[in-house]
PDB file of all heavy atoms in Angstrom:
ATOM      1  N   THR A 293      15.267 -54.494  27.362  1.00 80.00           N
ATOM      2  CA  THR A 293      13.947 -54.762  27.426  1.00 80.00           C
ATOM      3  C   THR A 293      13.356 -54.102  26.177  1.00 80.00           C
ATOM      4  O   THR A 293      13.698 -53.077  25.821  1.00 80.00           O
ATOM      5  CB  THR A 293      13.184 -54.049  28.548  1.00 80.00           C
ATOM      6  OG1 THR A 293      13.818 -54.576  29.755  1.00 80.00           O
ATOM      7  CG2 THR A 293      11.691 -54.311  28.656  1.00 80.00           C
ATOM      8  N   ILE A 294      12.667 -54.944  25.342  1.00 83.00           N
ATOM      9  CA  ILE A 294      11.952 -54.444  24.144  1.00 83.00           C
ATOM     10  C   ILE A 294      10.637 -54.134  24.338  1.00 83.00           C
ATOM     11  O   ILE A 294       9.800 -54.966  24.865  1.00 83.00           O
ATOM     12  CB  ILE A 294      12.188 -55.454  22.998  1.00 83.00           C
ATOM     13  CG1 ILE A 294      13.715 -55.784  22.741  1.00 83.00           C
ATOM     14  CG2 ILE A 294      11.530 -55.056  21.727  1.00 83.00           C
ATOM     15  CD1 ILE A 294      13.819 -56.861  21.782  1.00 83.00           C
ATOM     16  N   VAL A 295      10.168 -52.931  24.110  1.00 80.00           N
ATOM     17  CA  VAL A 295       8.689 -52.414  24.290  1.00 80.00           C
ATOM     18  C   VAL A 295       8.083 -52.393  22.974  1.00 80.00           C
ATOM     19  O   VAL A 295       8.617 -51.746  21.964  1.00 80.00           O
ATOM     20  CB  VAL A 295       8.732 -51.072  24.995  1.00 80.00           C
ATOM     21  CG1 VAL A 295       7.291 -50.734  25.113  1.00 80.00           C
ATOM     22  CG2 VAL A 295       9.464 -51.183  26.390  1.00 80.00           C
ATOM     23  N   THR A 296       6.898 -53.101  22.761  1.00 81.00           N
ATOM     24  CA  THR A 296       6.283 -53.072  21.600  1.00 81.00           C
ATOM     25  C   THR A 296       5.124 -51.970  21.588  1.00 81.00           C
ATOM     26  O   THR A 296       4.384 -51.890  22.552  1.00 81.00           O
ATOM     27  CB  THR A 296       5.535 -54.436  21.263  1.00 81.00           C
ATOM     28  OG1 THR A 296       6.521 -55.525  21.337  1.00 81.00           O
ATOM     29  CG2 THR A 296       4.892 -54.465  19.980  1.00 81.00           C
ATOM     30  N   PRO A 297       5.193 -51.108  20.605  1.00 78.00           N
ATOM     31  CA  PRO A 297       4.186 -50.050  20.661  1.00 78.00           C
ATOM     32  C   PRO A 297       2.831 -50.557  20.468  1.00 78.00           C
ATOM     33  O   PRO A 297       2.608 -51.647  19.745  1.00 78.00           O
ATOM     34  CB  PRO A 297       4.675 -49.059  19.478  1.00 78.00           C
ATOM     35  CG  PRO A 297       5.405 -49.907  18.590  1.00 78.00           C
ATOM     36  CD  PRO A 297       6.032 -51.061  19.383  1.00 78.00           C
ATOM     37  N   PRO A 298       1.798 -49.910  20.932  1.00 76.00           N
ATOM     38  CA  PRO A 298       0.400 -50.376  20.640  1.00 76.00           C
ATOM     39  C   PRO A 298       0.043 -50.323  19.259  1.00 76.00           C
ATOM     40  O   PRO A 298       0.610 -49.616  18.498  1.00 76.00           O
ATOM     41  CB  PRO A 298      -0.405 -49.366  21.514  1.00 76.00           C
ATOM     42  CG  PRO A 298       0.452 -48.258  21.664  1.00 76.00           C
ATOM     43  CD  PRO A 298       1.822 -48.654  21.672  1.00 76.00           C
ATOM     44  N   ALA A 299      -0.824 -51.242  18.751  1.00 82.00           N
ATOM     45  CA  ALA A 299      -1.192 -51.237  17.422  1.00 82.00           C
ATOM     46  C   ALA A 299      -1.968 -49.898  16.993  1.00 82.00           C
ATOM     47  O   ALA A 299      -1.909 -49.586  15.840  1.00 82.00           O
ATOM     48  CB  ALA A 299      -2.243 -52.535  17.181  1.00 82.00           C
ATOM     49  N   LYS A 300      -2.727 -49.412  17.872  1.00 85.00           N
ATOM     50  CA  LYS A 300      -3.497 -48.079  17.518  1.00 85.00           C
ATOM     51  C   LYS A 300      -3.175 -47.177  18.658  1.00 85.00           C
ATOM     52  O   LYS A 300      -3.266 -47.455  19.767  1.00 85.00           O
ATOM     53  CB  LYS A 300      -4.996 -48.547  17.411  1.00 85.00           C
ATOM     54  CG  LYS A 300      -5.844 -47.351  16.911  1.00 85.00           C
ATOM     55  CD  LYS A 300      -7.324 -47.585  17.070  1.00 85.00           C
ATOM     56  CE  LYS A 300      -7.700 -48.704  16.265  1.00 85.00           C
ATOM     57  NZ  LYS A 300      -9.238 -48.866  16.187  1.00 85.00           N
ATOM     58  N   LEU A 301      -3.033 -45.897  18.175  1.00 80.00           N
ATOM     59  CA  LEU A 301      -2.909 -44.748  19.175  1.00 80.00           C
ATOM     60  C   LEU A 301      -3.935 -43.721  18.923  1.00 80.00           C
ATOM     61  O   LEU A 301      -4.174 -43.429  17.709  1.00 80.00           O
ATOM     62  CB  LEU A 301      -1.482 -44.215  19.048  1.00 80.00           C
ATOM     63  CG  LEU A 301      -0.885 -43.319  20.074  1.00 80.00           C
ATOM     64  CD1 LEU A 301      -0.844 -44.064  21.412  1.00 80.00           C
ATOM     65  CD2 LEU A 301       0.443 -42.816  19.655  1.00 80.00           C
ATOM     66  N   ILE A 302      -4.521 -43.286  19.982  1.00 83.00           N
ATOM     67  CA  ILE A 302      -5.622 -42.242  19.836  1.00 83.00           C
ATOM     68  C   ILE A 302      -5.348 -41.069  20.683  1.00 83.00           C
ATOM     69  O   ILE A 302      -4.876 -41.192  21.817  1.00 83.00           O
ATOM     70  CB  ILE A 302      -6.929 -42.874  20.326  1.00 83.00           C
ATOM     71  CG1 ILE A 302      -7.473 -43.982  19.640  1.00 83.00           C
ATOM     72  CG2 ILE A 302      -8.023 -41.781  20.249  1.00 83.00           C
ATOM     73  CD1 ILE A 302      -8.651 -44.739  20.001  1.00 83.00           C
ATOM     74  N   GLY A 303      -5.436 -39.931  19.989  1.00 82.00           N
ATOM     75  CA  GLY A 303      -5.080 -38.647  20.804  1.00 82.00           C
ATOM     76  C   GLY A 303      -6.333 -37.801  20.839  1.00 82.00           C
ATOM     77  O   GLY A 303      -7.187 -37.798  20.025  1.00 82.00           O
ATOM     78  N   LEU A 304      -6.456 -37.065  21.904  1.00 79.00           N
ATOM     79  CA  LEU A 304      -7.611 -36.139  22.103  1.00 79.00           C
ATOM     80  C   LEU A 304      -7.017 -34.842  22.532  1.00 79.00           C
ATOM     81  O   LEU A 304      -6.256 -34.720  23.538  1.00 79.00           O
ATOM     82  CB  LEU A 304      -8.499 -36.654  23.164  1.00 79.00           C
ATOM     83  CG  LEU A 304      -9.599 -35.789  23.647  1.00 79.00           C
ATOM     84  CD1 LEU A 304     -10.698 -35.546  22.413  1.00 79.00           C
ATOM     85  CD2 LEU A 304     -10.463 -36.362  24.869  1.00 79.00           C
ATOM     86  N   VAL A 305      -7.401 -33.835  21.794  1.00 78.00           N
ATOM     87  CA  VAL A 305      -6.934 -32.466  22.118  1.00 78.00           C
ATOM     88  C   VAL A 305      -8.225 -31.655  22.435  1.00 78.00           C
ATOM     89  O   VAL A 305      -9.218 -31.530  21.615  1.00 78.00           O
ATOM     90  CB  VAL A 305      -6.211 -31.812  20.957  1.00 78.00           C
ATOM     91  CG1 VAL A 305      -5.772 -30.394  21.270  1.00 78.00           C
ATOM     92  CG2 VAL A 305      -4.884 -32.613  20.602  1.00 78.00           C
ATOM     93  N   ASP A 306      -8.183 -30.935  23.640  1.00 74.00           N
ATOM     94  CA  ASP A 306      -9.384 -30.106  23.982  1.00 74.00           C
ATOM     95  C   ASP A 306      -8.877 -28.655  23.936  1.00 74.00           C
ATOM     96  O   ASP A 306      -8.037 -28.272  24.770  1.00 74.00           O
ATOM     97  CB  ASP A 306      -9.910 -30.452  25.320  1.00 74.00           C
ATOM     98  CG  ASP A 306     -11.139 -29.673  25.727  1.00 74.00           C
ATOM     99  OD1 ASP A 306     -11.662 -28.895  24.768  1.00 74.00           O
ATOM    100  OD2 ASP A 306     -11.612 -29.815  26.878  1.00 74.00           O
ATOM    101  N   CYS A 307      -9.289 -27.845  23.042  1.00 81.00           N
ATOM    102  CA  CYS A 307      -8.695 -26.466  22.874  1.00 81.00           C
ATOM    103  C   CYS A 307      -9.734 -25.487  23.419  1.00 81.00           C
ATOM    104  O   CYS A 307     -10.866 -25.727  23.036  1.00 81.00           O
ATOM    105  CB  CYS A 307      -8.385 -26.164  21.395  1.00 81.00           C
ATOM    106  SG  CYS A 307      -7.137 -27.279  20.679  1.00 81.00           S
ATOM    107  N   ASN A 308      -9.286 -24.619  24.219  1.00 82.00           N
ATOM    108  CA  ASN A 308     -10.209 -23.664  24.820  1.00 82.00           C
ATOM    109  C   ASN A 308     -10.401 -22.657  23.774  1.00 82.00           C
ATOM    110  O   ASN A 308      -9.556 -22.084  23.107  1.00 82.00           O
ATOM    111  CB  ASN A 308      -9.442 -22.969  26.052  1.00 82.00           C
ATOM    112  CG  ASN A 308     -10.438 -22.035  26.845  1.00 82.00           C
ATOM    113  OD1 ASN A 308     -11.579 -22.290  26.768  1.00 82.00           O
ATOM    114  ND2 ASN A 308      -9.742 -21.114  27.466  1.00 82.00           N
ATOM    115  N   ASN A 309     -11.707 -22.281  23.674  1.00 88.00           N
ATOM    116  CA  ASN A 309     -12.215 -21.212  22.604  1.00 88.00           C
ATOM    117  C   ASN A 309     -11.689 -21.482  21.215  1.00 88.00           C
ATOM    118  O   ASN A 309     -11.409 -20.589  20.506  1.00 88.00           O
ATOM    119  CB  ASN A 309     -11.636 -19.839  22.971  1.00 88.00           C
ATOM    120  CG  ASN A 309     -11.910 -19.542  24.486  1.00 88.00           C
ATOM    121  OD1 ASN A 309     -12.800 -19.997  25.108  1.00 88.00           O
ATOM    122  ND2 ASN A 309     -11.031 -18.622  25.032  1.00 88.00           N
ATOM    123  N   PHE A 310     -11.775 -22.695  20.781  1.00 89.00           N
ATOM    124  CA  PHE A 310     -11.048 -23.143  19.573  1.00 89.00           C
ATOM    125  C   PHE A 310     -11.413 -22.257  18.345  1.00 89.00           C
ATOM    126  O   PHE A 310     -10.537 -21.710  17.621  1.00 89.00           O
ATOM    127  CB  PHE A 310     -11.271 -24.586  19.261  1.00 89.00           C
ATOM    128  CG  PHE A 310     -10.681 -25.055  17.966  1.00 89.00           C
ATOM    129  CD1 PHE A 310      -9.249 -25.281  17.884  1.00 89.00           C
ATOM    130  CD2 PHE A 310     -11.344 -25.219  16.920  1.00 89.00           C
ATOM    131  CE1 PHE A 310      -8.621 -25.634  16.788  1.00 89.00           C
ATOM    132  CE2 PHE A 310     -10.707 -25.668  15.660  1.00 89.00           C
ATOM    133  CZ  PHE A 310      -9.409 -25.832  15.655  1.00 89.00           C
ATOM    134  N   TYR A 311     -12.741 -22.179  18.025  1.00 90.00           N
ATOM    135  CA  TYR A 311     -13.154 -21.414  16.958  1.00 90.00           C
ATOM    136  C   TYR A 311     -12.822 -19.926  17.037  1.00 90.00           C
ATOM    137  O   TYR A 311     -12.459 -19.344  16.124  1.00 90.00           O
ATOM    138  CB  TYR A 311     -14.550 -21.707  16.547  1.00 90.00           C
ATOM    139  CG  TYR A 311     -14.691 -23.160  15.936  1.00 90.00           C
ATOM    140  CD1 TYR A 311     -15.349 -24.104  16.631  1.00 90.00           C
ATOM    141  CD2 TYR A 311     -14.211 -23.382  14.626  1.00 90.00           C
ATOM    142  CE1 TYR A 311     -15.487 -25.393  16.128  1.00 90.00           C
ATOM    143  CE2 TYR A 311     -14.410 -24.705  14.080  1.00 90.00           C
ATOM    144  CZ  TYR A 311     -15.120 -25.695  14.798  1.00 90.00           C
ATOM    145  OH  TYR A 311     -15.134 -26.849  14.252  1.00 90.00           O
ATOM    146  N   VAL A 312     -12.976 -19.484  18.233  1.00 93.00           N
ATOM    147  CA  VAL A 312     -12.617 -17.990  18.454  1.00 93.00           C
ATOM    148  C   VAL A 312     -11.143 -17.910  18.287  1.00 93.00           C
ATOM    149  O   VAL A 312     -10.778 -16.886  17.484  1.00 93.00           O
ATOM    150  CB  VAL A 312     -13.001 -17.623  19.848  1.00 93.00           C
ATOM    151  CG1 VAL A 312     -12.460 -16.245  20.246  1.00 93.00           C
ATOM    152  CG2 VAL A 312     -14.515 -17.571  19.992  1.00 93.00           C
ATOM    153  N   SER A 313     -10.325 -18.694  18.705  1.00 91.00           N
ATOM    154  CA  SER A 313      -8.875 -18.646  18.483  1.00 91.00           C
ATOM    155  C   SER A 313      -8.478 -18.640  17.031  1.00 91.00           C
ATOM    156  O   SER A 313      -7.562 -17.901  16.560  1.00 91.00           O
ATOM    157  CB  SER A 313      -8.103 -19.741  19.327  1.00 91.00           C
ATOM    158  OG  SER A 313      -8.355 -19.608  20.684  1.00 91.00           O
ATOM    159  N   CYS A 314      -9.215 -19.538  16.319  1.00 88.00           N
ATOM    160  CA  CYS A 314      -8.931 -19.626  14.783  1.00 88.00           C
ATOM    161  C   CYS A 314      -9.292 -18.291  14.117  1.00 88.00           C
ATOM    162  O   CYS A 314      -8.553 -17.743  13.222  1.00 88.00           O
ATOM    163  CB  CYS A 314      -9.663 -20.792  14.188  1.00 88.00           C
ATOM    164  SG  CYS A 314      -9.009 -22.413  14.661  1.00 88.00           S
ATOM    165  N   GLU A 315     -10.409 -17.747  14.507  1.00 90.00           N
ATOM    166  CA  GLU A 315     -10.834 -16.490  13.874  1.00 90.00           C
ATOM    167  C   GLU A 315      -9.755 -15.362  14.184  1.00 90.00           C
ATOM    168  O   GLU A 315      -9.518 -14.527  13.297  1.00 90.00           O
ATOM    169  CB  GLU A 315     -12.258 -16.011  14.376  1.00 90.00           C
ATOM    170  CG  GLU A 315     -13.298 -16.894  13.850  1.00 90.00           C
ATOM    171  CD  GLU A 315     -13.604 -16.838  12.433  1.00 90.00           C
ATOM    172  OE1 GLU A 315     -13.138 -15.947  11.635  1.00 90.00           O
ATOM    173  OE2 GLU A 315     -14.197 -17.662  11.960  1.00 90.00           O
ATOM    174  N   ARG A 316      -9.229 -15.499  15.496  1.00 92.00           N
ATOM    175  CA  ARG A 316      -8.257 -14.406  15.827  1.00 92.00           C
ATOM    176  C   ARG A 316      -6.877 -14.605  15.056  1.00 92.00           C
ATOM    177  O   ARG A 316      -6.234 -13.630  15.002  1.00 92.00           O
ATOM    178  CB  ARG A 316      -8.029 -14.375  17.385  1.00 92.00           C
ATOM    179  CG  ARG A 316      -9.291 -13.720  17.975  1.00 92.00           C
ATOM    180  CD  ARG A 316      -9.044 -13.826  19.514  1.00 92.00           C
ATOM    181  NE  ARG A 316     -10.163 -13.078  20.141  1.00 92.00           N
ATOM    182  CZ  ARG A 316     -10.289 -13.107  21.506  1.00 92.00           C
ATOM    183  NH1 ARG A 316      -9.500 -13.923  22.245  1.00 92.00           N
ATOM    184  NH2 ARG A 316     -11.256 -12.289  22.013  1.00 92.00           N
ATOM    185  N   VAL A 317      -6.655 -15.755  14.549  1.00 91.00           N
ATOM    186  CA  VAL A 317      -5.419 -16.067  13.876  1.00 91.00           C
ATOM    187  C   VAL A 317      -5.602 -15.191  12.545  1.00 91.00           C
ATOM    188  O   VAL A 317      -4.575 -14.499  12.039  1.00 91.00           O
ATOM    189  CB  VAL A 317      -5.121 -17.384  13.538  1.00 91.00           C
ATOM    190  CG1 VAL A 317      -4.137 -17.604  12.459  1.00 91.00           C
ATOM    191  CG2 VAL A 317      -4.820 -18.238  14.818  1.00 91.00           C
ATOM    192  N   PHE A 318      -6.695 -15.177  11.929  1.00 90.00           N
ATOM    193  CA  PHE A 318      -6.920 -14.588  10.659  1.00 90.00           C
ATOM    194  C   PHE A 318      -7.284 -12.997  10.805  1.00 90.00           C
ATOM    195  O   PHE A 318      -7.186 -12.298   9.908  1.00 90.00           O
ATOM    196  CB  PHE A 318      -7.946 -15.172   9.842  1.00 90.00           C
ATOM    197  CG  PHE A 318      -7.593 -16.646   9.469  1.00 90.00           C
ATOM    198  CD1 PHE A 318      -8.158 -17.723  10.096  1.00 90.00           C
ATOM    199  CD2 PHE A 318      -6.570 -16.954   8.563  1.00 90.00           C
ATOM    200  CE1 PHE A 318      -7.812 -19.085   9.876  1.00 90.00           C
ATOM    201  CE2 PHE A 318      -6.295 -18.133   8.287  1.00 90.00           C
ATOM    202  CZ  PHE A 318      -6.915 -19.266   8.919  1.00 90.00           C
ATOM    203  N   ARG A 319      -7.804 -12.755  11.936  1.00 93.00           N
ATOM    204  CA  ARG A 319      -8.237 -11.459  12.322  1.00 93.00           C
ATOM    205  C   ARG A 319      -7.533 -10.934  13.639  1.00 93.00           C
ATOM    206  O   ARG A 319      -8.241 -10.919  14.673  1.00 93.00           O
ATOM    207  CB  ARG A 319      -9.715 -11.159  12.372  1.00 93.00           C
ATOM    208  CG  ARG A 319     -10.475 -11.561  11.099  1.00 93.00           C
ATOM    209  CD  ARG A 319     -10.768 -10.316  10.323  1.00 93.00           C
ATOM    210  NE  ARG A 319     -11.128  -9.090  11.179  1.00 93.00           N
ATOM    211  CZ  ARG A 319     -12.466  -8.867  11.490  1.00 93.00           C
ATOM    212  NH1 ARG A 319     -13.395  -9.655  11.175  1.00 93.00           N
ATOM    213  NH2 ARG A 319     -12.710  -7.768  12.264  1.00 93.00           N
ATOM    214  N   PRO A 320      -6.220 -10.646  13.752  1.00 96.00           N
ATOM    215  CA  PRO A 320      -5.633 -10.156  14.978  1.00 96.00           C
ATOM    216  C   PRO A 320      -6.346  -8.996  15.636  1.00 96.00           C
ATOM    217  O   PRO A 320      -6.132  -8.723  16.859  1.00 96.00           O
ATOM    218  CB  PRO A 320      -4.296  -9.885  14.541  1.00 96.00           C
ATOM    219  CG  PRO A 320      -3.978 -10.482  13.257  1.00 96.00           C
ATOM    220  CD  PRO A 320      -5.413 -10.606  12.591  1.00 96.00           C
ATOM    221  N   ASP A 321      -7.097  -8.203  14.860  1.00 97.00           N
ATOM    222  CA  ASP A 321      -7.687  -6.958  15.490  1.00 97.00           C
ATOM    223  C   ASP A 321      -8.844  -7.409  16.490  1.00 97.00           C
ATOM    224  O   ASP A 321      -9.286  -6.625  17.227  1.00 97.00           O
ATOM    225  CB  ASP A 321      -8.290  -6.085  14.420  1.00 97.00           C
ATOM    226  CG  ASP A 321      -9.427  -6.947  13.540  1.00 97.00           C
ATOM    227  OD1 ASP A 321      -8.958  -7.875  12.839  1.00 97.00           O
ATOM    228  OD2 ASP A 321     -10.562  -6.456  13.451  1.00 97.00           O
ATOM    229  N   LEU A 322      -9.230  -8.750  16.381  1.00 97.00           N
ATOM    230  CA  LEU A 322     -10.193  -9.278  17.400  1.00 97.00           C
ATOM    231  C   LEU A 322      -9.647  -9.570  18.767  1.00 97.00           C
ATOM    232  O   LEU A 322     -10.405  -9.878  19.701  1.00 97.00           O
ATOM    233  CB  LEU A 322     -10.829 -10.519  16.779  1.00 97.00           C
ATOM    234  CG  LEU A 322     -11.651 -10.247  15.478  1.00 97.00           C
ATOM    235  CD1 LEU A 322     -12.085 -11.608  14.954  1.00 97.00           C
ATOM    236  CD2 LEU A 322     -12.867  -9.397  15.739  1.00 97.00           C
ATOM    237  N   ILE A 323      -8.343  -9.581  18.914  1.00 96.00           N
ATOM    238  CA  ILE A 323      -7.688  -9.944  20.146  1.00 96.00           C
ATOM    239  C   ILE A 323      -8.124  -8.929  21.155  1.00 96.00           C
ATOM    240  O   ILE A 323      -7.960  -7.800  21.003  1.00 96.00           O
ATOM    241  CB  ILE A 323      -6.063 -10.088  20.057  1.00 96.00           C
ATOM    242  CG1 ILE A 323      -5.827 -11.242  19.057  1.00 96.00           C
ATOM    243  CG2 ILE A 323      -5.518 -10.206  21.313  1.00 96.00           C
ATOM    244  CD1 ILE A 323      -4.273 -11.240  18.607  1.00 96.00           C
ATOM    245  N   GLY A 324      -8.592  -9.493  22.361  1.00 96.00           N
ATOM    246  CA  GLY A 324      -8.997  -8.557  23.448  1.00 96.00           C
ATOM    247  C   GLY A 324     -10.379  -8.123  23.314  1.00 96.00           C
ATOM    248  O   GLY A 324     -10.898  -7.524  24.251  1.00 96.00           O
ATOM    249  N   LYS A 325     -11.204  -8.433  22.314  1.00 97.00           N
ATOM    250  CA  LYS A 325     -12.456  -8.023  22.109  1.00 97.00           C
ATOM    251  C   LYS A 325     -13.419  -9.255  22.263  1.00 97.00           C
ATOM    252  O   LYS A 325     -12.971 -10.451  22.030  1.00 97.00           O
ATOM    253  CB  LYS A 325     -12.672  -7.441  20.582  1.00 97.00           C
ATOM    254  CG  LYS A 325     -11.913  -6.172  20.469  1.00 97.00           C
ATOM    255  CD  LYS A 325     -12.073  -5.718  19.025  1.00 97.00           C
ATOM    256  CE  LYS A 325     -11.371  -4.424  18.789  1.00 97.00           C
ATOM    257  NZ  LYS A 325     -11.356  -4.056  17.404  1.00 97.00           N
ATOM    258  N   PRO A 326     -14.686  -8.978  22.709  1.00 98.00           N
ATOM    259  CA  PRO A 326     -15.629 -10.124  22.811  1.00 98.00           C
ATOM    260  C   PRO A 326     -16.007 -10.792  21.521  1.00 98.00           C
ATOM    261  O   PRO A 326     -16.476 -10.030  20.617  1.00 98.00           O
ATOM    262  CB  PRO A 326     -16.789  -9.508  23.555  1.00 98.00           C
ATOM    263  CG  PRO A 326     -16.702  -7.969  23.131  1.00 98.00           C
ATOM    264  CD  PRO A 326     -15.191  -7.677  23.018  1.00 98.00           C
ATOM    265  N   VAL A 327     -15.840 -11.994  21.452  1.00 97.00           N
ATOM    266  CA  VAL A 327     -15.954 -12.753  20.078  1.00 97.00           C
ATOM    267  C   VAL A 327     -16.843 -13.964  20.427  1.00 97.00           C
ATOM    268  O   VAL A 327     -16.428 -14.759  21.365  1.00 97.00           O
ATOM    269  CB  VAL A 327     -14.719 -13.108  19.316  1.00 97.00           C
ATOM    270  CG1 VAL A 327     -15.069 -13.852  18.078  1.00 97.00           C
ATOM    271  CG2 VAL A 327     -13.915 -11.877  19.081  1.00 97.00           C
ATOM    272  N   ALA A 328     -17.788 -14.368  19.585  1.00 96.00           N
ATOM    273  CA  ALA A 328     -18.542 -15.556  19.710  1.00 96.00           C
ATOM    274  C   ALA A 328     -18.725 -16.207  18.347  1.00 96.00           C
ATOM    275  O   ALA A 328     -18.873 -15.419  17.302  1.00 96.00           O
ATOM    276  CB  ALA A 328     -20.013 -15.251  20.323  1.00 96.00           C
ATOM    277  N   VAL A 329     -18.645 -17.513  18.282  1.00 94.00           N
ATOM    278  CA  VAL A 329     -18.932 -18.182  16.952  1.00 94.00           C
ATOM    279  C   VAL A 329     -20.170 -19.005  17.100  1.00 94.00           C
ATOM    280  O   VAL A 329     -20.526 -19.582  18.104  1.00 94.00           O
ATOM    281  CB  VAL A 329     -17.766 -19.109  16.689  1.00 94.00           C
ATOM    282  CG1 VAL A 329     -18.011 -19.946  15.422  1.00 94.00           C
ATOM    283  CG2 VAL A 329     -16.493 -18.286  16.513  1.00 94.00           C
ATOM    284  N   LEU A 330     -20.911 -18.937  16.106  1.00 94.00           N
ATOM    285  CA  LEU A 330     -22.290 -19.566  16.010  1.00 94.00           C
ATOM    286  C   LEU A 330     -22.286 -20.906  15.356  1.00 94.00           C
ATOM    287  O   LEU A 330     -21.468 -21.229  14.485  1.00 94.00           O
ATOM    288  CB  LEU A 330     -23.292 -18.534  15.328  1.00 94.00           C
ATOM    289  CG  LEU A 330     -23.349 -17.134  15.931  1.00 94.00           C
ATOM    290  CD1 LEU A 330     -24.165 -16.272  15.012  1.00 94.00           C
ATOM    291  CD2 LEU A 330     -23.981 -17.220  17.281  1.00 94.00           C
ATOM    292  N   SER A 331     -23.393 -21.667  15.612  1.00 90.00           N
ATOM    293  CA  SER A 331     -23.491 -23.009  15.052  1.00 90.00           C
ATOM    294  C   SER A 331     -23.685 -22.953  13.610  1.00 90.00           C
ATOM    295  O   SER A 331     -23.996 -21.825  13.037  1.00 90.00           O
ATOM    296  CB  SER A 331     -24.664 -23.717  15.752  1.00 90.00           C
ATOM    297  OG  SER A 331     -25.891 -22.938  15.584  1.00 90.00           O
TER     298      SER A 331
END
């Protein structure tokens, strides 16, 4: 059986606390502390 892949593929990733997690990558001292990112 030959399966033809779709012409277009769309992916969606929903990351919890995304911008906070990114800040913590660059500032590990923030891990475990309350952090918020503003608009």
Side-chain angles (χ1 to χ4, degrees):
T293 304
I294 299 175
V295 178
T296 306
K300 188 191 297 188
L301 195 59
I302 297 173
L304 173 65
V305 178
D306 184 9
C307 299
N308 190 27
N309 312 334
F310 179 75
Y311 286 107
V312 170
S313 297
C314 290
E315 291 296 341
R316 286 177 169 172
V317 166
F318 299 107
R319 295 266 319 270
D321 59 300
L322 298 173
I323 295 172
K325 296 180 181 173
V327 178
V329 177
L330 303 171
S331 60

